[in-house]
Amino acid sequence: PGYLEGKKDAPYRSEFDNALRFAGRGCWRKGVHIWESLLTKDPEDPSIWRNLAVARGYMGDYRASADAWRKY
C-alpha cells in the first residue's frame, strides 16, 4: 500500500506534503513525526492515519502501524 495525498483544502497542506516528501524518500521517521503533529489539528483525517500506518510499518513499528490502520 502506498501513501495518500492530503486534503486539497486543508490548512496544514504544506506540512502534510512535506511529510509526504520525506516519507517518499525513505525518511520515514521525519514523515511520521510531522503527521503525528498534524493529528492535533485534524485527528480524524484518514490520509494522516493511513500514511502513519504505512510509514510505521516500513520502520518495523508494527504495533503502532496496526493501531494507525485501525484508526484509518
Side-chain angles (χ1 to χ4, degrees):
Y3 298 110
L4 293 181
E5 289 189 25
K7 299 176 187 176
K8 301 286 184 204
D9 61 346
Y12 50 84
R13 179 62 193 256
S14 64
E15 294 169 89
F16 187 100
D17 288 347
N18 195 30
L20 199 57
R21 279 190 290 281
F22 279 124
R25 292 192 310 247
C27 299
W28 305 305
R29 193 170 311 280
K30 279 187 160 193
V32 165
H33 179 72
I34 295 168
W35 283 317
E36 287 174 342
S37 72
L38 293 180
L39 288 174
T40 62
K41 297 178 182 183
D42 188 354
E44 301 298 320
D45 185 339
S47 59
I48 294 174
W49 285 113
R50 179 184 171 116
N51 292 352
L52 280 171
V54 172
R56 288 171 174 171
Y58 288 151
M59 291 171 30
D61 190 351
Y62 303 122
R63 187 173 301 226
S65 177
D67 182 53
W69 278 117
R70 282 190 292 276
K71 291 178 179 167
Y72 168 68

